[in-house]
Amino acid sequence: MARTAFLQGNEAVLEGALAAGARFYAGYPITPSSEIAELASWRLPGLGGVFIQMEDEIASMAALVGAAMAGAKAFTATSGPGFSLMQENIGLAVMVEAPCVVINVMRSGPSTGLATKPAQADIMQARWGTHGDHPAVALVPSSVSECFSLTVAAFNLAERLRTPVFVLSDEILGHMRERADIPDTEALEIWDRPRPAGDPADYRPYRPGPDGVPPLGTFGGPYVFHVTSSMHDERGVSANDAKTAAASVARLVGKVSRNAQWLPRPEVVRSGGGGEGGTGAGRPVLIVAFGSSARAARQTMLDHPDHPLTLFRPRTLWPFPEAELSALVDGHAAVVVAEMNTGQLVGEIERITAGRRAVGLAWRSDGEIITPEEIWAAVRRTLGGDGR
Amino acid sequence: MLAEAKPRGARWEGVLAGEGGQGLVVAGIILGEAAVLEGLYAVQCQWVFGSAARGSLSRSEVVVGPEEIAFPRVLKAGVLLALTPAALTRHLGMLGPGALVIVDSDHVPDTGDVPPDADVRPLPILRTAAGLGLARSTNVFALGALVALTGVVRPENVEEALRRRFGVKAEPNLRAFRAGADLAAGG
């Protein structure tokens, strides 16, 4: 039944995973994600699912790939140090097209860093952490309600795209409790992986369907297939030729971009008569922020109601919603990016803005949450002149 | 005398601070649960200053409002509950103008550094709760005093949150909550 609850972000992630049909968890507990493992260990056995505490995160990710191929909706939760260890087998999941979900409750690094404090510094690792050309899908919740809804979306996307999907939360979101709206599980739209049909003898495990995604058989079932991390043809058999390689990489990357309409859309919020036709005093500024930083940006807007401000908040960080952002740039005098790292997303925003407007940065990398005042200062700084 | 209830349109920010083990994180969660029962929005965050589960400084932040809470952390606390000297001194910088500062009068005898515009209410919280045999519910006792002095949520919603959380063990907590309110009211 739909309910309004006072929930922790990590609890909401777990509830979302279960509602999406997740029945396999393999992981190694790490602050600030451990509540997800703990709750999964309590809840999954009663649902006929499996919880395994693995020896490390390398093995955890390997277990996810195996579970996915055996038919389960599989997930794990970790933080920076564990996410680093998972990178090799994330590449394996990409290559063999194993649907799975990795929750990264980001904390301050590098290395074990500030183990109990927040950061948003793993976003480029989520994009490019594993080697080789590959797609990346990363969702970024900004509230406890979204910890639920975007985890459901992550499983849906993983299944339908047959690729690992990341949920990038952070210590603030993971540990804070807030009022959250949890929809009725029956009312959720749940997607499952495309499955093969027809004569098993004709099954070509890597022949793409109409979406560019191959139907996935289940290990132990009638559709027998071979899985290899090396370049392979439609039969799943190793193939070293240039033609197969070019087509495989293009399809792996292209299956995400061609189905971009499946990705959660960004939220755009205007205040102070922000944007085109604005009535507020001052030149309009476009703020780009996600996750906890977006909560600070919303507060900046509430604290300065007379200045026209627009918040562009991606729910899908990768692939970044370039066209939506690009369309907003010209209606503003400047762009400000707010992120809890030394400046990772800002490079992407500069690329999309392409010199049309000044791009400023509000950043923080000391394990503390970025504040509304810091974002306001960046707005004034980026506008230059009188800062209005 | 009880303070005026805060206007419903405002963002209410409170800090509940003391030692790890005193249960103030849970008290903050119960306050948030009560706010949600009341149809309000609420966020609760915690901060533990050290690796010890018990004895180190601990802070629970609660923000309550009639609309979705934007920034989840306390910007300018309207209320500070401090059960240890460190819980007071460490959070003086977070106080907003005219803040209500509730301190345990036995354990925090020195309130000389509190800004003069603050409304300081020393109450014998730990001693009174212990005297009633409610030492284990000191956190809820303190919450009773805080809710009575601020009116941030209606007492019946805290009592409902306590029943939901503690079930058959709710009774001592309900007594503690009411006794804390009585102490704040000077009863």
Side-chain angles (χ1 to χ4, degrees):
Chain A
M1 217 180 79
R3 61 193 173 104
T4 298
F6 193 63
L7 279 185
Q8 205 185 38
N10 283 344
E11 290 177 86
V13 163
L14 189 276
E15 293 296 334
L18 297 181
R23 292 297 180 269
F24 183 93
Y25 183 102
Y28 190 89
I30 179 170
T31 300
S33 74
S34 298
E35 291 82 7
I36 300 171
E38 182 183 1
L39 291 167
S41 75
W42 280 99
R43 298 284 295 282
L44 279 169
L47 295 166
V50 172
F51 173 90
I52 308 179
Q53 181 168 328
M54 302 296 292
E55 64 267 40
D56 59 31
E57 290 87 347
I58 302 172
S60 302
M61 199 61 219
L64 257 58
V65 174
M69 291 314 204
K73 290 191 180 180
F75 73 121
T76 191
T78 190
S79 191
F83 198 50
S84 291
L85 287 176
M86 288 177 182
Q87 292 304 324
E88 180 183 0
N89 282 330
I90 286 171
L92 173 64
V94 168
M95 189 60 157
V96 305
E97 302 183 62
C100 53
V101 171
V102 177
I103 316 290
N104 179 357
V105 187
M106 293 184 285
R107 71 188 211 188
S108 189
S111 192
T112 45
L114 298 165
T116 61
K117 297 192 172 189
Q120 297 176 312
D122 301 349
I123 61 172
M124 282 300 169
Q125 186 184 26
R127 180 62 193 89
W128 294 115
T130 197
H131 58 272
D133 278 318
H134 60 274
V137 181
L139 309 184
V140 279
S142 186
S143 66
V144 171
S145 288
E146 276 191 348
C147 284
F148 179 92
S149 63
L150 291 185
T151 300
V152 173
F155 277 93
N156 283 347
L157 291 166
E159 289 287 309
R160 206 154 164 194
L161 290 167
R162 279 191 64 180
T163 197
V165 173
F166 308 130
V167 177
L168 302 178
S169 175
D170 63 58
E171 189 278 335
I172 296 161
L173 266 178
H175 281 162
M176 79 182 195
R177 289 171 173 81
E178 74 175 331
R179 172 170 158 168
D181 297 313
I182 305 298
D184 188 347
T185 303
E186 311 304 313
L188 294 172
E189 188 177 337
I190 301 297
W191 298 346
D192 289 311
R193 61 197 63 181
R195 293 185 186 280
D199 186 347
D202 298 331
Y203 179 45
R204 293 292 177 268
Y206 290 97
R207 178 180 294 169
D211 297 324
V213 182
L216 178 57
T218 301
F219 261 42
Y223 294 91
V224 176
F225 60 106
H226 180 250
V227 173
T228 174
S229 60
S230 291
M231 195 59 72
H232 45 267
D233 63 16
E234 285 188 351
R235 297 169 299 156
V237 175
S238 295
N240 278 339
D241 62 285
K243 194 178 162 203
T244 301
S248 296
V249 171
R251 187 178 63 72
L252 285 177
V253 173
K255 71 178 176 181
V256 175
S257 52
R258 69 186 278 182
N259 295 309
Q261 73 278 7
W262 295 344
L263 302 167
R265 319 301 305 167
E267 180 188 46
V268 178
V269 186
R270 295 173 192 273
S271 70
E276 303 95 293
T279 55
R283 289 171 286 157
V285 174
L286 178 60
I287 303 174
V288 181
F290 64 95
S292 294
S293 296
R295 303 287 290 257
R298 284 288 291 123
Q299 190 67 45
T300 305
M301 296 166 80
L302 293 172
D303 292 348
H304 301 279
D306 294 332
H307 197 104
L309 297 171
T310 304
L311 172 64
F312 182 87
R313 180 175 74 82
R315 292 185 174 94
T316 302
L317 192 68
W318 307 125
F320 194 86
E322 291 193 28
E324 286 99 327
L325 178 68
S326 187
L328 288 171
V329 169
D330 292 341
H332 295 81
V335 181
V336 166
V337 182
E339 51 185 329
M340 280 152 41
N341 55 56
T342 56
Q344 296 187 16
L345 184 61
V346 68
E348 281 292 290
I349 305 309
E350 283 170 346
R351 185 178 62 76
I352 295 164
T353 306
R356 286 177 285 166
R357 295 292 183 273
V359 177
L361 175 64
W363 66 279
R364 192 153 187 169
S365 194
D366 60 353
E368 300 292 332
I369 188 171
I370 200 161
T371 66
E373 291 79 8
E374 286 166 333
I375 296 174
W376 179 242
V379 166
R380 309 267 321 238
R381 201 166 57 234
T382 309
L383 279 173
D386 63 354
R388 297 293 295 173
Chain B
M1 195 187 84
L2 297 188
E4 288 284 308
K6 291 281 174 188
R8 285 285 176 229
R11 174 183 163 109
W12 185 95
E13 301 185 322
V15 172
L16 289 65
E19 273 180 13
Q22 285 182 322
L24 293 174
V25 169
V26 173
I29 294 169
I30 293 166
L31 178 55
E33 288 169 343
V36 172
L37 286 172
E38 195 155 320
L40 300 168
Y41 287 83
V43 177
Q44 181 271 340
C45 297
Q46 58 256 13
W47 208 248
V48 178
F49 300 81
S51 54
R54 289 177 186 273
S56 55
L57 180 58
S58 161
R59 169 170 95 221
S60 192
E61 298 183 16
V62 184
V63 182
V64 177
E67 294 169 348
E68 278 187 67
I69 310 294
F71 193 63
R73 303 292 293 271
V74 166
L75 291 163
K76 285 289 171 197
V79 179
L80 169 64
L81 167 72
L83 298 186
T84 65
L88 178 68
T89 54
R90 181 71 188 245
H91 298 118
L92 288 175
M94 290 178 75
L95 294 179
L100 173 67
V101 179
I102 307 166
V103 298
D104 187 281
S105 50
D106 296 331
H107 292 84
V108 193
D110 180 5
T111 58
D113 290 337
V114 177
D117 68 328
D119 176 9
V120 182
R121 304 291 183 102
L123 296 171
I125 292 170
L126 273 68
R127 171 160 45 99
T128 309
L132 294 168
L134 296 166
R136 293 186 65 187
S137 302
T138 299
N139 57 341
V140 177
F141 185 95
L143 182 61
L146 184 149
V147 169
L149 288 171
T150 61
V152 57
V153 292
R154 286 194 281 274
E156 56 266 33
N157 287 318
V158 180
E159 295 192 8
E160 177 60 19
L162 290 169
R163 284 187 202 95
R164 292 187 185 195
R165 171 168 283 269
F166 294 108
V168 294
K169 294 178 183 169
E171 197 47 43
N173 285 295
L174 291 168
R175 279 206 294 139
F177 180 70
R178 291 166 192 157
D182 288 346
L183 176 67

